Amino acid sequence: MMKLNANQLNFSGGPGALPESVLQQLQTAMLCVPEVGLSILGISHRSQWFAQVVHELEDNIRQLMGLPDTTRVLMMQGGATQQFSMLPMNLLRDGQSADYIHSGYWSGKAIHEAEKSGKLNLAWSGKADQFSRLPSDAELQLSKDAAYFHYISNETVEGLQFHRVPGRDDVPRICDMSSDLLSAPGEFNRYAMIYAHAQKNIGPAGVTLVILRDDFMQTLPKDLPGFINYHAQADAHSIYNTPPVFAIYSVLLVTRWLLHDIGGLHNIAKHNELKAACLYQVLDDYADFYRGRAAIADRSNMNVVFNLPNAEIEQAFLQAAQQAGFSGLNGHRSIGGIRASIYNGLEIAAADQLADFMQTFYKRYKISTPQTSGLSTAYA
Amino acid sequence: MMKLNANQLNFSGGPGALPESVLQQLQTAMLCVPEVGLSILGISHRSQWFAQVVHELEDNIRQLMGLPDTTRVLMMQGGATQQFSMLPMNLLRDGQSADYIHSGYWSGKAIHEAEKSGKLNLAWSGKADQFSRLPSDAELQLSKDAAYFHYISNETVEGLQFHRVPGRDDVPRICDMSSDLLSAPGEFNRYAMIYAHAQKNIGPAGVTLVILRDDFMQTLPKDLPGFINYHAQADAHSIYNTPPVFAIYSVLLVTRWLLHDIGGLHNIAKHNELKAACLYQVLDDYADFYRGRAAIADRSNMNVVFNLPNAEIEQAFLQAAQQAGFSGLNGHRSIGGIRASIYNGLEIAAADQLADFMQTFYKRYKISTPQTSGLSTAYA
């Protein structure tokens, strides 16, 4: 078996693992960016070199996603959480209302923040089903006159992912793709706006991609303070004020890796499907033991979320996994359980290795049952 | 003479040079943080380790600045520019007014952004003097009932620095110390709030320190969206949402360096005064050639800003400096000229070396004059 290092066995929900080759380039850049001869931390954001970084990054994003030139690509700060509020602060100022899907933990956060700045209509909520599934089109209660429609394409906590584009085409469609942007191709031109913090598939924490269609931009106010003004940010090509230079450079390296090493979103999607398939296969093969949280049709290719028969076995699983070199497998603090996050940076070999580990763990469990009281010893 | 590398000869106005030992630790951390065994970019912001990073950083800031436990220390995103707007969004909602000093480029930006969110009173403007000096106390037109009083302690573009604490003690004093915080001791307890982006003396671009006195915190609204809500950020110890983990860790390393290697703010202030003194000495010795921009009493210990007899000589100076290994010496794009930024990370030896270079350049100029038309050749 291929020997993987600790970073390569990091299944963290985010910040997630980045490709080894990107980490190595960043390590070099910490003392010296080859083209400049200075530490990446000491290069001016007003330098020609950095203007080229931003320019190439904008182009790479458009190329990867198949976006036309009439799309703005911004790198902002404040994470998805800032976008949760900026959206209604920009679009619901005049008392208009927006449609939101509540499909899990993060869309709940989006709604909670947006409600402080505007009027919302709940198009659907998965709360009654404990966020174990996503809605069908027929279940969505969409308004024709909504200022916009908002949803989250992948719920990292619950492991739910939309495998289609919901919403009406005559209402601006806005999607938080923080945890699956650049993980697969998509019909991106059907969105008025897409945003995604970097720390899953795209780069380190500290920068957020915001992609806006020009026709939608025209509907946004121009008189807001600069830090919440999409026009100001777009006009300045993300250098309205000092941007997070290191984080943006990191994202550039990830897009180069996607374009040149991987060969685009079709290819990375195949990797991601293989990783997801091998882990979900274990869940299906040992369904009495590894209990998948998401409805099968809505399973996420990014976050494989499951429970074991009880909390004690879950603890034993996490301890044994840690001893085997895996990290980041604990479920989100809000729901516990186990979560294997398999973002772009995680290699297929790592998912294979985890699947093997899960099978072995299951077999050791079978041998030791029904002595459940001795579990911590048996699996530690 | 001590041989300095390119990072050590970086006089950039910001992002500025960081200490070599910090860069080396960050290089290691890019692949493996020693205490964790993972890349700094893949460590969860919810990990125990990162909670300790934030805890130690808060403590280090309090210790360095001599702040009591009744002070909140936040690490936020969005730079000083976000604070320019957040302040009036928090404090001028009910139609109150705030006093602002306009002492240069950056306080002008602060005023421009604040005006979009509230009513301001201009306590003083240096515009008539082309921002070449700072006001005396007698010149300040301060309001007794201002919601707060705002100024910038160091104007990086013009090279002006307050060497005293202006303002009334009965009005909340708020200061943007982006370019001189942690460069010298100060009467920090006389401020209701201090903020500073990291990329001068404190760390890389992408994180902003915000220091709030508890009694002032109590006057701030609690119903604002989380990303502009000081209470939400303080209650969460800067982990309201995913923070810029790498940038915060970098700042921790800088505070460790200040505490343990340098020995606190009194010592770093001595370093900074020596660096400033040796450069200003050259300006004073060759005042007909190196024309300091700032009034002598208001000279900045962070940014030594000057002009040469004409733009052609300035270009020749910058070219010769670059060939000698220096970088970042061009003045701010708004005013041109020359600027030597000598933040914490820049060593005394680097300032000495620049002073030597300036003397040599001057002497070569004297020999070649009055053949001004041949200057580019003589100094290139």
Side-chain angles (χ1 to χ4, degrees):
Chain A
M1 201 191 314
M2 185 180 162
K3 177 74 185 157
L4 299 173
N5 67 35
N7 289 326
Q8 292 170 310
L9 293 173
N10 183 0
F11 287 79
S12 170
L18 290 178
E20 193 74 1
S21 63
V22 168
L23 291 180
Q24 279 162 359
Q25 289 173 79
L26 290 174
Q27 188 176 48
T28 299
M30 210 42 58
L31 288 189
C32 180
V33 173
E35 310 95 280
V36 181
L38 289 175
S39 163
I40 179 70
L41 305 187
I43 299 177
S44 171
H45 57 291
R46 301 283 175 196
S47 64
Q48 264 201 326
W49 176 78
F50 190 67
Q52 282 165 4
V53 164
V54 170
H55 184 78
E56 183 186 342
L57 177 48
E58 290 178 3
D59 276 357
N60 286 358
I61 295 290
R62 284 198 200 93
Q63 195 180 331
L64 283 164
M65 295 175 67
L67 299 171
D69 288 343
T70 50
T71 316
R72 298 307 110 212
V73 178
L74 312 185
M75 277 65 74
M76 297 187 63
Q77 295 189 59
T81 298
Q82 176 163 334
Q83 300 303 315
F84 291 168
S85 295
M86 261 183 83
L87 272 173
M89 287 166 94
N90 270 265
L91 286 159
L92 305 184
R93 292 204 300 177
D94 304 328
Q96 277 187 283
S97 171
D99 286 356
Y100 274 72
I101 292 182
H102 187 188
S103 50
Y105 182 86
W106 285 108
S107 51
K109 288 274 188 193
I111 289 167
H112 173 71
E113 293 290 353
E115 278 174 340
K116 296 178 193 168
S117 307
K119 211 167 62 187
L120 310 189
N121 166 50
L122 195 60
W124 184 79
S125 170
K127 198 173 179 185
D129 298 321
Q130 294 179 296
F131 304 113
S132 61
R133 69 175 186 94
L134 295 175
S136 68
D137 283 340
E139 288 175 297
L140 293 178
Q141 301 200 316
L142 300 171
S143 326
K144 199 174 76 178
D145 55 353
Y148 62 91
F149 159 68
H150 182 278
Y151 78 106
I152 291 188
S153 53
N154 183 72
E155 290 278 7
T156 54
V157 173
E158 295 83 1
L160 295 165
Q161 187 175 29
F162 277 94
H163 299 294
R164 69 178 197 286
V165 178
R168 310 167 56 110
D169 283 329
D170 59 351
V171 165
R173 183 186 283 110
I174 298 181
C175 188
D176 174 359
M177 297 192 184
S178 289
S179 51
D180 62 0
L181 188 69
L182 302 192
S183 73
E187 297 174 76
F188 301 119
N189 289 308
R190 293 178 64 193
Y191 295 83
M193 172 172 154
I194 291 167
Y195 62 96
H197 62 220
Q199 65 264 19
K200 306 287 197 259
N201 292 295
I202 305 174
V207 64
T208 302
L209 269 177
V210 181
I211 296 159
L212 294 141
R213 222 166 50 201
D214 271 355
D215 61 331
F216 177 67
M217 276 288 283
Q218 295 316 314
T219 69
L220 298 173
K222 297 188 173 177
D223 59 344
L224 288 170
F227 86 113
I228 52 169
N229 186 326
Y230 291 110
H231 289 284
Q233 301 287 337
D235 291 348
H237 283 270
S238 304
I239 317 182
Y240 180 76
N241 60 325
T242 314
V245 173
F246 167 77
I248 290 175
Y249 178 63
S250 305
V251 175
L252 173 66
L253 296 182
V254 171
T255 61
R256 282 183 184 165
W257 170 79
L258 278 170
L259 275 171
H260 310 308
D261 297 359
I262 298 295
L265 296 192
H266 277 283
N267 288 352
I268 196 72
K270 279 184 212 153
H271 291 213
N272 289 331
E273 282 158 18
L274 281 171
K275 290 183 284 181
C278 85
L279 293 175
Y280 284 121
Q281 189 62 54
V282 179
L283 265 56
D284 291 340
D285 288 347
Y286 310 100
D288 58 328
F289 188 68
Y290 293 117
R291 298 159 188 191
R293 213 187 170 285
I296 288 176
D298 303 321
R299 279 175 170 174
S300 166
N301 282 338
M302 297 282 103
N303 312 94
V304 179
V305 178
F306 55 94
N307 285 95
L308 275 74
N310 61 52
E312 195 189 0
I313 306 183
E314 284 173 351
Q315 277 314 304
F317 178 89
L318 289 172
Q319 276 176 31
Q322 192 179 9
Q323 281 171 12
F326 302 101
S327 65
L329 283 165
N330 49 304
H332 188 265
R333 64 208 148 89
S334 63
I335 60 167
I338 315 291
R339 171 173 60 174
S341 297
I342 48 178
Y343 301 123
N344 280 356
L346 194 102
E347 296 174 31
I348 296 169
D352 283 343
Q353 201 163 313
L354 179 61
D356 287 346
F357 168 82
M358 287 170 71
Q359 285 171 323
T360 306
F361 186 86
Y362 171 79
K363 284 165 193 163
R364 284 168 60 194
Y365 163 80
K366 271 294 173 197
I367 292 164
S368 75
T369 46
Q371 298 152 300
T372 42
S373 62
L375 270 175
S376 350
T377 320
Y379 301 106
Chain B
M1 201 191 313
M2 186 181 162
K3 177 73 183 156
L4 299 173
N5 67 35
N7 290 325
Q8 291 170 311
L9 292 174
N10 182 0
F11 287 79
S12 169
L18 290 178
E20 193 72 2
S21 63
V22 168
L23 291 180
Q24 279 161 359
Q25 289 173 78
L26 290 174
Q27 188 175 48
T28 300
M30 209 42 58
L31 288 188
C32 181
V33 173
E35 311 94 281
V36 181
L38 288 175
S39 163
I40 180 69
L41 304 186
I43 299 177
S44 171
H45 57 292
R46 301 283 174 196
S47 64
Q48 264 202 327
W49 176 79
F50 189 67
Q52 282 164 5
V53 164
V54 170
H55 184 78
E56 183 187 340
L57 176 47
E58 291 179 1
D59 276 357
N60 285 359
I61 296 289
R62 285 199 198 92
Q63 195 181 331
L64 283 164
M65 296 177 66
L67 300 171
D69 287 343
T70 49
T71 316
R72 297 307 109 209
V73 178
L74 312 185
M75 275 67 72
M76 297 186 63
Q77 295 188 59
T81 298
Q82 175 162 332
Q83 300 304 315
F84 292 168
S85 295
M86 259 184 84
L87 272 173
M89 287 166 96
N90 270 264
L91 286 159
L92 305 183
R93 292 204 298 176
D94 304 328
Q96 277 187 283
S97 172
D99 286 356
Y100 276 70
I101 292 182
H102 187 189
S103 50
Y105 182 87
W106 284 108
S107 51
K109 287 275 188 190
I111 289 167
H112 173 72
E113 293 290 354
E115 279 174 340
K116 296 178 195 168
S117 307
K119 211 167 62 188
L120 309 189
N121 166 51
L122 194 60
W124 183 80
S125 170
K127 198 173 179 185
D129 299 321
Q130 293 178 296
F131 304 113
S132 61
R133 67 173 188 95
L134 295 175
S136 68
D137 283 340
E139 288 175 297
L140 293 178
Q141 301 200 316
L142 300 171
S143 326
K144 200 174 75 178
D145 55 352
Y148 61 91
F149 159 69
H150 182 278
Y151 79 106
I152 291 188
S153 52
N154 183 73
E155 291 278 6
T156 55
V157 173
E158 294 84 2
L160 295 165
Q161 187 175 29
F162 277 95
H163 298 295
R164 68 179 198 284
V165 178
R168 309 167 57 111
D169 283 328
D170 58 351
V171 166
R173 182 185 284 109
I174 299 181
C175 188
D176 174 358
M177 298 193 185
S178 288
S179 52
D180 62 359
L181 188 69
L182 302 192
S183 73
E187 297 175 75
F188 301 119
N189 289 309
R190 293 177 64 190
Y191 295 84
M193 173 173 154
I194 292 168
Y195 63 96
H197 62 222
Q199 65 264 19
K200 306 286 196 263
N201 292 295
I202 304 175
V207 64
T208 302
L209 269 178
V210 181
I211 297 160
L212 294 142
R213 222 166 49 202
D214 271 354
D215 60 331
F216 177 67
M217 276 289 283
Q218 295 317 312
T219 69
L220 298 172
K222 297 187 172 178
D223 59 343
L224 289 169
F227 86 113
I228 52 168
N229 187 325
Y230 291 109
H231 288 285
Q233 300 288 338
D235 291 349
H237 283 269
S238 305
I239 318 181
Y240 181 75
N241 61 323
T242 312
V245 173
F246 167 77
I248 290 175
Y249 178 63
S250 305
V251 175
L252 173 66
L253 296 182
V254 171
T255 62
R256 282 183 185 165
W257 171 79
L258 279 171
L259 275 171
H260 309 309
D261 296 0
I262 299 293
L265 297 192
H266 277 283
N267 288 352
I268 196 73
K270 279 185 211 152
H271 291 213
N272 289 331
E273 283 158 18
L274 281 171
K275 289 183 284 181
C278 86
L279 293 175
Y280 284 121
Q281 190 62 54
V282 179
L283 266 58
D284 291 339
D285 288 347
Y286 310 100
D288 58 327
F289 189 68
Y290 292 118
R291 299 161 187 190
R293 213 187 170 286
I296 289 177
D298 303 321
R299 279 175 169 174
S300 166
N301 282 337
M302 298 282 102
N303 312 94
V304 180
V305 178
F306 55 94
N307 284 95
L308 274 75
N310 61 51
E312 195 189 0
I313 307 184
E314 285 173 352
Q315 278 312 304
F317 178 89
L318 288 171
Q319 275 175 32
Q322 192 179 8
Q323 280 170 14
F326 302 101
S327 65
L329 283 166
N330 50 305
H332 189 265
R333 64 208 149 88
S334 63
I335 60 168
I338 315 291
R339 171 172 60 174
S341 298
I342 47 178
Y343 302 124
N344 280 356
L346 194 101
E347 295 173 32
I348 296 169
D352 284 342
Q353 200 163 312
L354 179 61
D356 287 346
F357 168 82
M358 288 169 70
Q359 284 171 322
T360 306
F361 186 86
Y362 171 79
K363 283 165 193 163
R364 284 168 60 193
Y365 163 79
K366 272 294 171 197
I367 292 164
S368 75
T369 47
Q371 299 152 299
T372 43
S373 62
L375 271 174
S376 349
T377 321
Y379 302 106

